[in-house]
Amino acid sequence: MIVVMKSNSSEADIEHVLTYLEKHGLTGHPSQGVERTVIGVLGAVGPTGAPGSIGGINPTLGETLEGLPAVEQVIRVSKPYKLASREFHPEATIVDIEVPCVSGGIVGIGGSEVVMMAGPCTVETEKQLMTTAEAVRKEGAVILRGGAFKPSTSPYGFRGLGEDGLKLLAKARAEFGMAIITEVMTPADVPMVCEYADILQIGTRNMQNYMLLDEVGRTRKPAVLKRGMSATIEEWLLAAEYILSQGNRNVILCERGIRTFEKTTRNTMDISAIPLIKQLSHLPIISDPSQGTGRRDLVTPMTLASIAAGTDALLIEVHPNPDEALKDGAQSLTIEQFRDLMPRAHAVTQAIGRTLITE
Ligand code: PEP
Ligand code: MN
């Protein structure tokens, strides 16, 4: 349920509705729009302290709320996700990231600009990370990716450098002024990863790790939530709802390919998810064509297609020597290939009336 306040409603009016909801065992999540404030209403409180489903709401409550003088309208949200829905928040959410290397020092994800995030799949060595960071920055990437904690399908695969990897990422940030995105895999690691990262990445294998979602939700760090490899759009938005309902509004969704019967590619890149998410949700949506295809020859075309479809940012794997990469070499672009991709990405971005932010 969403309570739409009248455009002239005051702080006290909003407070009044919030108190009223509280008295009925509900939680109100206000969101201030340009025109008016809307309040998302969530129901029963779950055992972990998180607001739960809408299930427990008294059916006549909507009518009572609608009778309050400062309330314009009460909308019943048909979708199971509430705070993530467009109905709750008609304007697009822009997640601001501090990026020292751009003028103004802030990059907004979800606005008119398209943002390039690039770097190695995995932080391997200082030299590998610094070489990649320098090269991708030179071509216009403003956010550096690199995993220090790696989810590995096989227990014998490389699991990452851990905190040492985070320290290398911090070093690259200091040197090149790029923001850092890196994966966090367990609730216990959230505080440590937050110290080093500008954006937390929640991997496809953890999209439904609800304890992790809760913990990330308790921070205010921007978080990229990858789509589970077998997740429906609705399950994905419900996972986002976990983070949002804990109070962290800085959620960014990431399409990274889904599992289908097709074997030629590692995953099937669901480009349609990009405009679909824009319809269903106010949250920014970004695209990872590297995991999305698993093949470096397909990364550039899927990057261009994602931009055309409306992606707010790209997450691309680049390695100075992909054949020697400890992980995901087959899908990592060489530095030369990334250099070739950027002008094309600029051209498509311009063609749809957006700008690829590089400085
Ligand atoms: C990655 O970005 O390297 C990664 C492991 O992503 P995903 O969780 O989408 O597989
Ligand atoms: Mn990878």
Side-chain angles (χ1 to χ4, degrees):
M1 192 160 67
I2 292 168
V3 179
V4 181
M5 302 298 290
K6 288 190 175 150
S7 55
N8 60 358
S9 61
S10 65
E11 287 288 322
D13 292 330
I14 294 163
E15 210 44 57
H16 180 64
V17 173
L18 293 177
T19 314
Y20 185 89
L21 291 170
E22 216 170 289
K23 265 199 225 141
H24 288 80
L26 304 167
T27 325
H29 291 251
S31 164
Q32 190 128 32
V34 180
E35 298 258 318
R36 61 189 81 233
T37 296
V38 298
I39 301 172
V41 182
L42 297 183
V45 173
T48 57
S53 77
I54 206 90
I57 295 181
N58 172 346
T60 63
L61 189 76
E63 281 147 43
T64 319
L65 281 168
E66 220 152 32
L68 296 178
V71 172
E72 168 96 33
Q73 197 190 358
V74 172
I75 303 171
R76 277 154 198 85
V77 181
S78 48
K79 312 264 178 5
Y81 47 87
K82 312 291 171 193
L83 304 177
S85 73
R86 261 289 170 191
E87 287 153 300
F88 167 60
H89 197 287
E91 294 131 37
T93 285
I94 300 178
V95 176
D96 283 336
I97 313 289
E98 241 179 80
V99 184
C101 68
V102 303
S103 60
I106 300 276
V107 164
I109 299 179
S112 63
E113 286 168 335
V114 177
V115 181
M116 183 58 75
M117 308 179 181
C121 169
T122 306
V123 181
E124 298 170 2
T125 63
E126 178 164 350
K127 185 160 183 287
Q128 169 247 17
L129 183 68
M130 293 299 169
T131 308
T132 316
E134 185 175 17
V136 296
R137 175 66 205 110
K138 188 162 163 254
E139 302 311 322
V142 295
I143 298 178
L144 179 66
R145 65 149 291 148
F149 293 95
K150 292 306 296 180
S152 186
T153 302
S154 158
Y156 308 118
F158 184 52
R159 317 259 287 255
L161 294 178
E163 191 168 6
D164 289 343
L166 296 177
K167 286 184 177 151
L168 292 177
L169 287 165
K171 197 165 176 188
R173 175 178 36 198
E175 189 143 344
F176 303 108
M178 301 173 81
I180 301 296
I181 174 169
T182 195
E183 179 159 356
V184 60
M185 286 177 57
T186 70
D189 287 341
V190 169
M192 190 228 292
V193 179
C194 277
E195 271 180 48
Y196 298 94
D198 300 287
I199 307 175
L200 301 175
Q201 178 178 322
I202 299 171
T204 191
R205 294 162 186 80
N206 272 319
M207 189 204 82
Q208 287 176 314
N209 179 342
Y210 298 121
M211 296 302 181
L212 179 63
L213 301 178
D214 275 347
E215 197 58 34
V216 169
R218 285 192 271 267
T219 75
R220 296 297 175 263
K221 253 309 162 190
V224 160
L225 178 65
K226 297 265 199 122
R227 181 178 185 178
M229 61 183 86
S230 302
T232 63
I233 300 265
E234 189 171 289
E235 287 163 341
W236 187 16
L237 287 169
L238 279 167
E241 189 83 6
Y242 266 81
I243 305 173
L244 295 166
S245 64
Q246 289 292 350
N248 187 352
R249 300 296 174 88
N250 298 311
V251 178
I252 300 164
L253 299 163
C254 178
E255 168 59 39
R256 49 79 69 204
I258 49 174
R259 198 163 261 201
T260 68
F261 53 81
E262 183 51 62
K263 289 188 186 159
T264 336
T265 47
R266 183 178 177 192
N267 291 293
T268 296
M269 185 80 194
D270 182 7
I271 301 272
S272 70
I274 299 166
L276 194 52
I277 287 290
K278 291 268 170 214
Q279 283 177 28
L280 298 173
S281 178
H282 53 91
L283 297 172
I285 166 87
I286 74 168
S287 163
D288 175 349
S290 305
Q291 329 299 321
T293 61
R295 292 173 48 148
R296 92 173 64 104
D297 60 336
L298 300 179
V299 168
T300 296
M302 286 300 103
T303 296
L304 304 181
S306 297
I307 298 172
T311 194
D312 294 311
L314 281 312
L315 185 62
I316 294 183
E317 291 182 345
V318 180
H319 196 286
N321 187 357
D323 295 342
E324 311 246 301
L326 292 179
K327 278 190 103 66
D328 290 355
Q331 68 195 35
S332 297
L333 295 185
T334 62
I335 288 166
E336 294 69 36
Q337 284 174 319
F338 186 71
R339 190 175 298 138
D340 173 65
L341 173 151
M342 283 301 275
R344 301 168 74 183
H346 271 290
V348 179
T349 309
Q350 266 181 350
I352 58 160
R354 294 177 86 180
T355 335
L356 187 62
I357 180 158
T358 55
E359 51 190 26

